[in-house]
Amino acid sequence: MDLMSDSRVVGSEQCFLLCKKALTYYDDRLIIHGEGVACIAMEIHKRLPYKLDTKYILLLSLLHDVGAYKTENIDKLVEFESSNVRNHSIYGYLFLKYFTPLKEMSTVVLNHHTSNERYAEEDFPYKDYANLIQIADWIEIAIRGGRKKEEILPLLRSKRYCPIQAEAAQWVLLNTGIYEEIQSGRISERINDCLLNLPLSIQENVGFLKMLVYSIDFKSEYTVNHSEGVTVVTRYLAEHCGYPKEDMEKLIYASFLHDIGKIAIPVEILEKPGRLDEAEMEIMRGHVEYSEKILSGILDDEVVKMACRHHEKLDGSGYPHHITGEELSLGDRIIAVADIASALMGARSYKNALEKEKTLSIMQDMADSGYIDKELYGILARDYEAVKAKIDEKSEAVRETYRALKEEYREMVENFKKL
């Protein structure tokens, strides 16, 4: 990941478009809801006597329900009233804390359903952000749920909401077209314009891409470990086969994002304890085409091709396009070998990691059969222990992070039960 520092490969614009496009494949209702909350929150903010950082208003509004991908029935969440909001707030908070550049502000997501009355009892420095997202969240659901303006306005006087923000929200509903915009769904273009003008560092861009890949853990932790493993092997092979240094960063980005299409694959297939049957395999193979759909039109064509050709074989027997070796670049071949190596060396939902002899035997057969590049396989076989050590180091770091996140989640849920 330390090579992913070139904004020419993935800048702020591409980063946000990728995140938005990919997360839509989870459930586009949460993306639509997040955009609506962001629009309302930004309008209310214009009327406040104090100013907050618009970058954080926008990003936290868009991601405030990210925990629902893991913990909630989204059908219930997008209804006018949702129950058990605490669990998705906790998981969303932990996700932002562990996997995004928003760590410092992550408590906003934890508290975005906390009543304004309770803030006086809690030591919480970002209450204005949480209050703002809370009131915008409620207004968006109310509008989309069919409530009329005259029904919403009096309910904003509840002690649950910050009085200053509630007054600004009433003005916004009465004097702007935000109610009609939310009703019609004509808000994506406005949000895209706001996102493209956000001042983000290269490190923040990489952080949000990492968030995107790690978000697949909401479906499969094994997939995240695999993506990290592929990136490790890709870099090692590239450094030892004479891959051009000036092209290295594109290759690393492609390897890290190669399985992003798995975001659209049902969890029961990703996490199936046994081997997949033919019908399930057909669905699983579709992840490559989803990756193409997500990455195409946003990233450089060369990056997209390298990311989406990892299941092609030199003899044309791979998928989805049955491309032969003559058409497969060195980058394509590297990621294909890295993908297989990471899958065999790492644990999956249906198997433990394979021993060295078994791994190399399988890959040797693939090389001899003309499926994968023999030279690249030779590097891997020669340096197996060094490559495996790097995969294990990265995988253990990922597993440790998830263990910490899950343990903190359990502790927080138990603590809230006692309140």
Side-chain angles (χ1 to χ4, degrees):
M1 290 295 291
D2 55 335
L3 282 179
M4 294 169 63
S5 60
D6 191 341
S7 62
R8 293 172 299 175
V9 179
V10 181
S12 297
E13 178 177 356
Q14 295 101 321
C15 176
F16 284 126
L17 291 176
L18 276 178
C19 289
K20 180 179 173 182
K21 194 173 178 182
L23 289 174
T24 298
Y25 282 94
Y26 266 131
D27 193 301
D28 63 354
R29 290 172 296 177
L30 285 186
I31 297 295
I32 293 168
H33 172 59
E35 289 180 335
V37 172
C39 281
I40 295 168
M42 297 285 277
E43 287 296 330
I44 295 173
H45 178 245
K46 293 176 184 177
R47 300 294 304 174
L48 296 179
Y50 52 86
K51 293 303 172 187
L52 306 175
D53 190 322
T54 55
K55 176 170 80 171
Y56 293 122
I57 294 174
L58 185 59
L59 295 177
L60 291 166
S61 294
L62 291 170
L63 295 171
H64 75 283
D65 276 341
V66 67
Y69 289 119
K70 182 71 171 180
T71 63
E72 297 285 340
N73 181 329
I74 295 177
D75 289 325
K76 293 182 179 179
L77 187 70
V78 295
E79 292 173 1
F80 178 70
E81 298 290 350
S82 59
S83 59
N84 199 23
V85 293
R86 177 59 69 179
N87 282 0
H88 86 258
S89 298
I90 293 173
Y91 210 99
Y93 152 69
L94 293 172
F95 184 70
L96 264 63
K97 175 182 175 181
Y98 283 92
F99 295 127
T100 78
L102 298 172
K103 177 179 180 179
E104 183 181 350
M105 305 289 290
S106 58
T107 49
V108 171
V109 169
L110 177 65
N111 290 282
H112 78 275
H113 284 294
T114 302
S115 169
N116 183 61
E117 295 175 292
R118 287 192 55 189
Y119 283 124
E121 306 169 11
E122 300 182 13
D123 182 18
F124 177 45
Y126 302 115
K127 67 177 183 179
D128 291 329
Y129 290 93
N131 266 330
L132 182 58
I133 291 174
Q134 177 181 211
I135 197 168
D137 181 41
W138 185 85
I139 292 171
E140 200 280 342
I141 293 175
I143 295 173
R144 205 174 290 279
R147 293 213 175 187
K148 299 177 180 178
K149 285 184 188 180
E150 52 268 29
E151 295 176 306
I152 297 174
L153 292 169
L155 295 174
L156 291 174
R157 302 188 189 103
S158 166
K159 292 182 180 180
R160 180 169 191 81
Y161 307 116
C162 167
I164 295 173
Q165 292 184 4
E167 183 178 348
Q170 289 175 316
W171 188 95
V172 166
L173 284 172
L174 289 171
N175 296 282
T176 72
I178 195 68
Y179 181 93
E180 290 73 23
E181 280 190 77
I182 299 298
Q183 273 193 323
S184 67
R186 298 190 306 269
I187 52 177
S188 285
E189 188 172 338
R190 185 205 284 213
I191 290 299
N192 286 346
D193 289 342
C194 291
L195 287 173
L196 300 185
N197 289 314
L198 282 185
L200 293 185
S201 67
I202 294 173
Q203 289 73 25
E204 285 177 311
N205 286 338
V206 172
F208 281 113
L209 283 181
K210 186 175 180 180
M211 175 203 79
L212 179 59
V213 172
Y214 274 69
S215 72
I216 302 176
D217 173 54
F218 286 135
K219 290 191 169 186
S220 173
E221 184 172 329
Y222 296 101
T223 300
V224 174
N225 269 314
H226 174 60
S227 294
E228 290 279 18
V230 172
T231 304
V232 167
V233 181
T234 293
R235 178 176 178 180
Y236 191 94
L237 292 176
E239 289 175 342
H240 289 80
C241 78
Y243 195 79
K245 290 185 178 180
E246 62 271 22
D247 297 330
M248 182 74 82
E249 198 145 21
K250 286 185 177 182
L251 180 68
I252 297 301
Y253 272 103
S255 66
F256 190 63
L257 294 169
H258 80 287
D259 265 351
I260 195 62
K262 286 184 178 176
I263 208 165
I265 303 301
V267 67
E268 59 268 22
I269 291 179
L270 289 176
E271 294 280 75
K272 184 177 178 179
R275 292 200 173 274
L276 302 178
D277 62 32
E278 187 53 40
E280 292 166 334
M281 273 302 303
E282 190 62 29
I283 294 172
M284 178 64 91
R285 291 188 189 105
H287 80 272
V288 181
E289 294 175 273
Y290 282 118
S291 291
E292 284 187 300
K293 290 177 182 178
I294 292 168
L295 301 177
S296 295
I298 298 177
L299 298 186
D300 180 270
D301 285 346
E302 184 182 357
V303 176
V304 177
K305 287 178 180 179
M306 288 191 294
C308 299
R309 292 182 172 181
H310 58 282
H311 285 295
E312 302 290 354
K313 300 291 187 290
L314 299 181
D315 67 346
S317 64
Y319 66 89
H321 301 303
H322 308 291
I323 297 171
T324 62
E326 294 179 356
E327 300 174 79
L328 295 172
S329 70
L330 179 56
D332 299 336
R333 296 170 184 229
I334 289 173
I335 297 178
V337 172
D339 179 64
I340 296 166
S342 175
L344 295 175
M345 292 180 180
R348 308 301 287 267
S349 59
Y350 55 85
K351 72 169 186 67
N352 294 322
L354 298 183
E355 297 296 330
K356 174 181 177 179
E357 291 73 18
K358 183 65 173 175
T359 296
L360 294 183
S361 174
I362 292 172
M363 296 191 72
Q364 178 74 64
D365 287 345
M366 297 183 79
D368 291 342
S369 299
Y371 296 155
I372 61 175
D373 190 290
K374 285 187 176 182
E375 181 181 349
L376 295 172
Y377 163 71
I379 296 171
L380 181 71
R382 182 194 70 199
D383 298 342
Y384 179 91
E385 282 77 11
V387 175
K388 184 67 163 63
K390 289 180 179 293
I391 289 177
D392 289 345
E393 180 183 4
K394 176 62 73 172
S395 295
E396 180 54 32
V398 172
R399 284 193 293 269
E400 181 57 37
T401 300
Y402 279 120
R403 281 195 290 267
L405 184 153
K406 290 174 181 176
E407 182 58 32
E408 190 170 351
Y409 176 77
R410 284 192 291 269
E411 289 177 359
M412 292 181 71
V413 169
E414 288 302 315
N415 289 337
F416 279 114
K417 286 180 181 177
K418 298 173 184 178
L419 295 179

